[in-house]
Amino acid sequence: MKTGRFITFEGIDGSGKSTQARLFAAYLKAKGGEVVLTREPGGSHGAEEIRRLLVEGNPDRWSPETEILLFTAARRDHLEKTILPALDRGASVVSDRFADSTRVYQGAARGDLRALVDQLHDAVIGKEPDLTFVIDMDPAEALRRGLARQSGEDRFEDMGAGFQERLRDEFHRLVEEHPDRCHLVDGQHDPDVIAREVAEIADRAE
Ligand code: ADP
Ligand code: TYD
């Protein structure tokens, strides 16, 4: 059987990625076939437990090195338990964040640790999406949207507007580095307008 397609959504906090991941999964489902909608950090039982350690508490709770290890541990479990089994049975997998988030977030926080991020990825993950959508958004607007949710998961949002600006720049750089896989999508439109653009790009790339 043909392996399924692995599609990821990336962007700064509050950019609208979860909304778009949901809409895109619904679009794929309507076309037929199994679709698994998942997220990081999380997406499997063990990874959801690690998620709580990462997104709650003080911004300085973990050193950048520890944080990279925790995100990578969560991703390995997610990959083993959810992503690879789904792709192997021919399902499409739509993930709200994946390895690009570690490259961008941990790279933006501490650029000198990018080599560690890449080494760990190569050693224990070694999987890239077929297609990645980066939802581009003004950090001030995204921060307003994100904090308005009051999810209690604001450890990264609490790192402030300057950090979100650096993240946006890093996401732009990521798209430039991987023009075949990554597509930058303007997140300032209505959700349905963005969803149509995403679906068109995905259909063209198929
Ligand atoms: P993320 O997953 O990137 O943090 P969400 O999809 O959870 O973002 O969206 C954050 C908030 O903004 C939610 O309250 C959501 O309903 C709202 N939102 C999402 N997309 C849009 C959009 N295109 N325009 C206006 N509000 C949006
Ligand atoms: P997420 O639940 O996607 O938050 P949001 O919906 O607010 O965008 O992710 C939680 C936080 O974890 C988010 O601030 C981004 C951060 N993160 C990293 O720093 N590195 C990673 O590898 C991942 C997957 C997430």
Side-chain angles (χ1 to χ4, degrees):
M1 189 200 266
K2 203 167 140 258
T3 307
R5 257 210 312 176
F6 181 28
I7 296 131
T8 58
F9 285 79
E10 299 278 358
I12 62 175
D13 307 80
S15 59
K17 326 168 252 60
S18 311
T19 303
Q20 291 305 319
R22 220 171 24 245
L23 291 172
F24 184 63
Y27 171 77
L28 286 183
K29 253 181 209 145
K31 292 211 310 179
E34 186 190 351
V35 181
V36 172
L37 175 62
T38 186
R39 68 163 181 184
E40 287 206 355
S44 62
H45 181 70
E48 289 288 338
E49 292 201 319
I50 298 173
R51 175 189 176 92
R52 271 197 297 281
L53 298 174
L54 281 160
V55 299
E56 295 174 9
N58 290 330
D60 62 358
R61 181 178 186 185
W62 307 109
S63 74
E65 289 84 352
T66 309
E67 202 169 280
I68 290 167
L69 291 168
L70 287 170
F71 277 118
T72 308
R75 180 160 308 126
R76 174 71 195 209
D77 195 62
H78 185 208
L79 197 64
E80 282 178 13
K81 308 272 174 50
T82 304
I83 297 174
L84 293 179
L87 294 175
D88 285 347
R89 62 177 186 264
S92 300
V93 175
V94 178
S95 187
D96 178 355
R97 296 194 187 281
F98 188 65
D100 292 322
S101 281
T102 313
R103 295 177 180 125
V104 165
Y105 276 75
Q106 279 62 49
R110 282 276 303 273
D112 56 330
L113 291 179
R114 177 60 193 268
L116 176 63
V117 169
D118 291 343
Q119 280 163 4
L120 280 171
H121 181 83
D122 291 347
V124 298
I125 307 296
K127 176 86 187 163
E128 296 298 343
D130 298 303
L131 194 60
T132 297
F133 292 99
V134 175
I135 311 297
D136 189 40
M137 169 61 58
D138 167 41
E141 170 65 18
L143 204 60
R144 267 196 299 280
R145 283 186 188 173
L147 292 176
R149 276 180 308 190
Q150 298 197 317
S151 63
E153 292 187 337
D154 294 333
R155 193 174 149 251
F156 286 86
E157 278 99 330
D158 287 348
M159 292 182 185
F163 184 61
Q164 298 290 329
E165 291 281 357
R166 278 208 301 291
L167 292 174
R168 189 189 200 186
D169 292 345
E170 292 287 329
F171 273 120
H172 285 177
R173 210 192 330 270
L174 179 88
V175 174
E176 283 164 18
E177 278 171 18
H178 304 280
D180 292 340
R181 172 170 70 85
C182 298
H183 296 264
L184 196 68
V185 174
D186 185 355
Q188 307 265 18
H189 303 295
D190 274 356
D192 288 349
V193 173
I194 303 168
R196 264 201 301 280
E197 184 182 347
V198 163
E200 276 168 23
I201 293 170
D203 286 348
R204 267 203 307 276
E206 208 164 16

